[in-house]
């Protein structure tokens, strides 16, 4: 009965806050297909309340010394490290990814927390003495104020952690609007910030749908928007928030290709294609969706991938022994993924392994979809040009390296890509020629470490700034430059209406 289900609310003013909006949406455990909670969707009054609380939080937090802010960040890092198992369980319950994969996303988020603990160095300004006679010039960075983060369902902890450790370290207050599909990880993280000593309001969770998003995009108090999600929404976010004068970084969808040269070790390639194609049921923006096989390797590679698929263990990610792959996020998403396999088939592709209609033993009504392998996908098919976001690997056969590069570069997205080869010269040429933001050389999911930055090209990122790393700190700060002279009556030049010049 829906009436007995718990209702998930907001986190405002440093405390859990029940919603009075009366608007809700269901939250499921994708492995069982059962609804496990109702999520409150904010109304305008709650949006206003969340932003006002964040503004107060900003006043308190941004005035704290670097030393005190650093202590809060270190405390958050220690608490997260000690209790991350609880967070992994929450992720698995609402997202469906297996527990070790949930732990993996937390570990990658924790890297950014660790980067952020060194914020004093990364937000330092610069000083030039005697830029002109008796004049010094220096610059320093200040936080923006209240910043908005809008995140997707597929990494309910890691994606917010790409942004909020950096934003908070730089002195901002954060309003996080998580995905409606797995909203509880954000509340757990909010509670952890409270325990770490962050002032109330500096980390706020606003649950909601388009209304909450539009509230953040248009409210004049909100200074910037960091978004991750699908490309059409990323474009909307970029255009709307920019039109409202905000700084925006909007990361969109992907269609990542793995280019396999004939000299590659095909057993390693098959293992990596399985890992990168079917991990998290393909619901990763850096998942490999297309294997571009430079002939004559395709037939042999397909056999190897097919053999490995037969051994994959699929099931509830919280069960023991742990399976390797869990379900998709919702029944609707499963129908969409299945529809793309129908399209590929109708367009003349060969379905080598068919995951449509798959149900693991004891899988109940879970939203499972079997690993799928499709050969000879026409590059004109929507199943090739569009993002599927499921456990579907597509093989496209090409005759040459050049043909492979041309295909990747002509695609709409530019998030990630990988080349598999033993030829260093070819790999070096690839990294130079490819029009993609993140490249793996014999590495299938090249998510950069925290001290580099994460972001794609083309329809995979709207805006100029990537997530985390030095670019993250630049995004979440504003610079001031000061030109200063301590007046000396002996050298004071009197009245001069000319434009200031150096001497
Ligand atoms: P989504 O675009 O449906 O939702 C993302 C966020 O936008 C959610 O918080 C949602 O509430 C909000 N939203 C949805 N529709 C909206 C609308 N009409 N107006 C305003 N806000 C709206 O994405 P998703 O399904 O949650 O996540 C999967 C997508 O995210 C995939 O396309 C994937 O490639 C992408 N993704 C990209 C990256 C990256 O780094 N480039 C990382 C993770 C996920």
């Amino acid at each position: 009965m829906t009436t007995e289900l718990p209702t998930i609310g907001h986190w405002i003013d440093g405390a859990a806050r029940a919603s009075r909006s009366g608007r809700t949406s269901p939250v499921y455990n994708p492995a069982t297909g059962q609804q496990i909670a109702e999520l409150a969707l904010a109304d305008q009054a709650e949006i206003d309340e969340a932003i006002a609380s964040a503004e107060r939080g900003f006043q308190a937090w941004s005035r704290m010394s670097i030393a005190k802010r650093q202590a809060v960040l270190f405390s958050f890092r220690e608490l997260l490290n000690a209790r991350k198992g609880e967070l992994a369980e929450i992720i698995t319950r609402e997202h469906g990814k297996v527990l070790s994969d949930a732990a993996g996303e937390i570990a990658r988020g924790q890297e950014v927390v660790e980067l952020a603990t060194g914020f004093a160095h990364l937000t330092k300004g610069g000083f030039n003495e005697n830029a002109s006679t008796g004049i010094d010039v220096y610059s320093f960075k200040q936080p923006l104020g209240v910043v908005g983060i809008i995140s997707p369902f597929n990494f309910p902890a890691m994606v917010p952690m790409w942004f909020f450790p950096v934003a908070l370290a730089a002195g901002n207050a954060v309003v996080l609007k998580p995905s409606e599909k797995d909203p509880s990880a954000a509340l757990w993280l909010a509670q952890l910030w409270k325990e770490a000593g962050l002032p109330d309001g500096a980390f706020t969770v606003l649950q909601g749908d388009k209304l909450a998003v539009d509230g953040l995009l248009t409210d004049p108090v909100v200074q910037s928007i960091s978004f991750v999600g699908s490309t059409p929404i990323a474009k909307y976010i970029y255009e709307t928030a920019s039109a409202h004068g905000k700084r925006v970084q909007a990361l969109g969808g992907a269609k990542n290709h793995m280019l396999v040269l004939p000299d590659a070790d095909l057993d390693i390639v098959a293992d990596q294609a399985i890992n990168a194609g079917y991990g998290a049921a393909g619901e990763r923006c850096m998942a490999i969706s297309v294997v571009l096989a430079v002939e004559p390797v395709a037939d042999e590679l397909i056999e190897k991938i097919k053999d490995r698929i037969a051994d994959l263990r699929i099931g509830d990610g919280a069960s023991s022994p742990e399976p390797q792959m869990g379900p998709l996020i919702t029944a609707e998403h499963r129908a969409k993924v299945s529809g793309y396999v129908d399209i590929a088939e109708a367009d003349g592709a060969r379905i080598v392994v068919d995951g449509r209609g798959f149900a693991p033993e004891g899988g109940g009504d879970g939203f499972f979809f079997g690993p799928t392998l499709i050969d000879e996908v026409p590059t004109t098919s929507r199943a090739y040009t569009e993002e599927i976001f499921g456990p579907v690997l597509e093989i496209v056969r090409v005759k040459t390296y050049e043909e492979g590069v041309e295909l990747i570069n002509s695609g709409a997205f530019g998030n990630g890509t990988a080349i598999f080869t033993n030829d260093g010269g070819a790999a070096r040429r690839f990294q130079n020629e490819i029009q993609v933001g993140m490249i793996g050389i014999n590495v299938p999911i090249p998510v950069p470490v925290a001290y580099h930055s994460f972001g794609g090209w083309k329809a995979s990122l709207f805006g100029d700034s990537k997530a985390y790393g030095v670019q993250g700190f630049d995004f979440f700060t504003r610079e001031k430059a000061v030109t200063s002279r301590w007046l000396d009556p002996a050298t004071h030049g009197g009245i001069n209406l000319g434009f200031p010049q150096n001497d």
Side-chain angles (χ1 to χ4, degrees):
M1 293 277 289
T2 11
T3 46
E4 293 163 8
L5 291 171
T7 301
I8 300 168
H10 314 293
W11 185 273
I12 298 175
D13 265 332
R17 161 82 160 69
S19 170
R20 288 184 290 269
S21 74
R23 302 170 63 235
T24 60
S25 96
V27 177
Y28 294 93
N29 177 340
T32 63
Q34 302 303 306
Q35 187 180 346
I36 52 173
E38 285 284 353
L39 173 71
L41 302 174
D43 59 15
Q44 192 56 49
E46 289 165 359
I47 297 166
D48 294 343
E49 203 183 318
I51 294 172
S53 142
E55 206 175 4
R56 290 190 296 276
F58 172 67
Q59 297 305 333
W61 175 237
S62 60
R63 286 178 190 157
M64 279 171 69
S65 69
I66 288 177
K68 284 185 180 149
R69 277 192 274 147
Q70 238 162 4
V72 172
L73 281 158
F74 271 105
S75 172
F76 180 83
R77 190 266 173 201
E78 292 304 299
L79 288 166
L80 179 62
N81 206 32
R83 291 177 36 198
K84 57 194 173 192
E86 296 167 29
L87 180 57
E89 281 175 21
I90 291 170
I91 295 170
T92 295
R93 189 164 61 246
E94 291 185 358
H95 176 281
K97 65 179 70 176
V98 301
L99 264 176
S100 59
D101 197 32
E105 84 159 89
I106 298 166
R108 293 310 302 266
Q110 191 174 317
E111 273 182 25
V112 184
V113 177
E114 285 161 4
L115 172 86
T117 59
F119 73 90
H121 176 66
L122 288 157
T123 53
K124 258 194 319 222
F127 187 97
N128 284 94
E129 187 187 38
N130 225 23
S132 190
T133 308
I135 294 184
D136 302 326
V137 179
Y138 51 97
S139 56
F140 59 95
K141 294 177 182 182
Q142 292 190 320
L144 302 180
V146 175
V147 301
I149 299 172
I150 300 159
S151 57
F153 80 81
N154 68 320
F155 286 108
M158 182 185 77
V159 165
M161 279 198 271
W162 283 351
F163 305 106
F164 71 64
V166 176
L168 287 172
N172 300 282
V174 166
V175 180
L176 168 62
K177 206 300 286 173
S179 166
E180 304 91 301
K181 297 180 182 113
D182 43 16
S184 297
L187 294 172
W188 189 90
L189 289 161
Q191 172 71 44
L192 213 65
W193 277 119
K194 171 106 179 164
E195 289 173 36
L198 189 75
D200 292 349
F203 188 83
T204 294
V205 179
L206 179 67
Q207 307 285 9
D209 53 7
K210 182 171 167 50
L211 191 69
V213 171
D214 286 346
L216 292 175
L217 300 184
T218 55
D219 192 301
V221 169
V222 178
Q223 300 296 307
S224 72
I225 296 290
S226 302
F227 171 88
V228 179
S230 58
T231 287
I233 310 297
K235 191 162 181 286
Y236 166 76
I237 299 280
Y238 180 72
E239 288 169 355
T240 312
S242 304
H244 284 82
K246 300 186 197 315
R247 195 175 278 192
V248 197
Q249 47 184 182
L251 286 71
K255 186 90 184 185
N256 306 316
H257 293 58
M258 172 196 268
L259 182 63
V260 182
L261 300 194
D263 70 334
D265 179 322
L266 293 188
D267 282 306
I268 295 178
V269 170
D271 285 345
Q272 300 290 20
I274 292 272
N275 296 343
Y278 303 130
E283 289 173 330
R284 291 179 181 145
C285 62
M286 290 292 277
I288 290 293
S289 343
V290 180
V291 175
L292 288 178
V294 180
E295 290 295 34
V297 301
D299 286 334
E300 194 184 341
L301 184 57
I302 286 167
E303 283 311 305
K304 288 179 186 293
I305 294 176
K306 201 171 133 187
D307 289 348
R308 285 160 171 78
I309 290 175
D311 292 335
L312 284 181
R313 298 185 315 278
I314 298 151
D316 183 338
S319 61
S320 176
E322 190 183 88
Q324 291 160 295
M325 191 182 112
L328 289 171
I329 186 73
T330 57
E332 295 72 36
H333 187 56
R334 176 173 60 183
K336 188 174 162 199
V337 171
S338 193
Y340 275 114
V341 182
D342 298 343
I343 291 170
E345 195 170 34
D347 289 343
R350 185 171 68 91
I351 313 296
V352 182
V353 181
D354 193 347
R356 289 173 291 188
F358 170 87
E361 215 172 298
D365 295 324
F367 310 134
F368 289 96
F369 191 87
T372 298
L373 183 63
I374 312 180
D375 187 19
E376 298 190 46
V377 182
T379 54
T380 48
S381 172
R382 279 181 49 220
Y384 171 77
T385 55
E386 295 178 10
E387 179 180 44
I388 298 178
F389 221 54
V392 179
L393 261 182
E394 300 178 317
I395 308 284
V396 174
R397 298 164 181 246
V398 289
K399 292 196 188 63
T400 60
Y401 159 90
E402 286 80 7
E403 198 187 329
V405 167
E406 169 60 26
L407 263 181
I408 298 173
N409 285 350
S410 59
F413 303 100
N415 213 40
T417 188
I419 185 168
F420 276 75
T421 180
N422 284 311
D423 180 342
R428 192 165 179 276
R429 188 174 154 195
F430 183 76
Q431 73 184 18
N432 176 264
E433 294 176 342
I434 212 72
Q435 303 288 307
V436 172
M438 294 172 283
I439 300 161
I441 296 175
N442 298 315
V443 171
I445 309 180
V447 174
V449 288
Y451 39 94
H452 286 260
S453 295
F454 182 105
W457 286 16
K458 301 200 276 189
S460 297
L461 172 63
F462 299 89
D464 299 325
S465 192
K466 295 182 170 192
Y468 61 75
V470 173
Q471 290 194 37
F473 279 96
D474 286 345
F475 183 83
F476 285 116
T477 54
R478 256 192 283 253
E479 198 177 72
K480 274 181 180 162
V482 180
T483 303
S484 153
R485 172 163 59 188
W486 294 100
L487 293 176
D488 176 354
T491 57
H492 173 56
I495 291 172
N496 179 357
L497 299 193
F499 195 68
Q501 293 180 41
N502 296 329
D503 54 33

